[in-house]
Amino acid sequence: LTSLPPGSIGDGAPRFSPDGRMVIFLRCASSSVQDLYVVPRTGGEARRLPSARRIAYSPVWTPDSRELIFAASFNGVLRLFRFPLNAAAPELMAIAGEGADMPTLARRGGRMVYTRTFRDANIWRVELGPDGTVSGQPQSFIASTRFDGYPDYSPDGQSIVFQSNRSGDTELWVSGRDGRNAAQLTRLNVVANNPHWSPDGQWIAFGADTGESPDIFVIPAKGGAARNLTSNSADDVL
């Protein structure tokens, strides 16, 4: 088990250190917070390891029991991190690339194997007749080599807002009605998702996973500063 089951709240996925003295485990406090904790085998208070507001997965020990390697969802993209237990913060293992998960280390020989997952989701379009029936074949409409999804037409039908991680972070983008000239709308460095236009087309409401708890934001449709509408400890989603 590399993570807790979806929707679970609590502790799980324990792993003994190779020297048998410590146990690392995952603690899920909400849908957007899953931290690493370590506790002595003999019992005592569990210590939270600083994760820089990441959602942690798949923790494994190095053979000397001094460091951890784990996967984390950072701005919607899985990456591997290395974490000496006496360090202030994890260190990104950039060489592992994006989509990295499920690491395991050989006890001898200095080898690590892991999984890389790539998700390429695109937005498609289909023409509708006057009575709402489909006329013609579906066509790829907004596409990149990354994830593009959650599209929403503006009230006047001239623009489309959608979610994409084509920039490396999961942000919101706006294109013309033909899917062209896509421009990045948000630059929050968090996971922005599920956007919807206001009735007058002047604002876009969306959810954002800030790493502490999901909140609802609004941003001017023409760009500008996003405003948090629900800054509290609850999980707020659209």
Side-chain angles (χ1 to χ4, degrees):
L1 183 66
T2 61
S3 181
L4 297 177
S8 296
I9 303 295
D11 302 332
R15 293 282 186 94
F16 270 109
S17 60
D19 62 12
R21 295 182 177 182
M22 307 294 291
V23 175
I24 188 75
F25 65 93
L26 298 176
R27 174 168 291 173
C28 185
S30 73
S31 61
S32 62
V33 178
Q34 184 166 281
D35 286 315
L36 294 170
Y37 279 75
V38 64
V39 63
R41 173 187 56 81
T42 54
E45 184 177 354
R47 178 167 65 97
R48 176 182 175 273
L49 302 180
S51 58
R53 290 165 50 183
R54 301 180 178 96
I55 301 177
Y57 301 89
S58 312
V60 295
W61 295 89
T62 55
D64 61 7
S65 300
R66 295 179 179 178
E67 300 183 29
L68 291 161
I69 293 177
F70 65 96
S73 178
F74 187 59
N75 295 345
V77 179
L78 276 174
R79 295 178 172 90
L80 291 187
F81 293 82
R82 188 175 191 125
F83 191 15
L85 292 183
N86 59 356
E91 175 186 350
L92 173 65
M93 299 181 69
I95 194 172
E98 296 181 357
D101 192 9
M102 304 180 189
T104 186
L105 280 68
R107 293 298 178 91
R108 297 180 178 84
R111 294 288 189 271
M112 178 179 73
V113 294
Y114 60 96
T115 299
R116 288 190 72 187
T117 302
F118 301 92
R119 186 182 182 190
D120 181 8
N122 300 316
I123 297 170
W124 288 61
R125 178 178 65 179
V126 65
E127 299 292 339
L128 300 178
D131 59 354
T133 58
V134 174
S135 62
Q137 294 296 316
Q139 297 178 336
S140 180
F141 184 49
I142 299 175
S144 68
T145 58
R146 302 292 188 92
F147 175 87
D148 301 294
Y150 299 98
D152 192 48
Y153 270 110
S154 61
D156 62 7
Q158 298 301 305
S159 302
I160 300 169
V161 63
F162 62 96
Q163 174 188 325
S164 180
N165 63 355
R166 61 180 66 187
S167 67
D169 293 324
T170 304
E171 304 279 6
L172 299 185
W173 291 66
V174 175
S175 75
R177 65 177 182 178
D178 57 3
R180 299 178 181 178
N181 302 317
Q184 188 172 337
L185 179 64
T186 62
R187 288 175 171 81
L188 299 177
N189 297 318
V190 299
V191 178
N193 56 64
N194 205 16
H196 294 281
W197 295 83
S198 63
D200 61 6
Q202 299 301 305
W203 297 87
I204 293 171
F206 63 97
D209 185 351
T210 63
E212 297 297 334
S213 61
D215 288 315
I216 305 302
F217 290 75
V218 293
I219 189 171
K222 294 182 179 180
R227 185 168 76 248
N228 189 333
L229 300 182
T230 62
S231 54
N232 56 62
S233 59
D235 287 357
D236 303 312
V237 296
L238 285 175

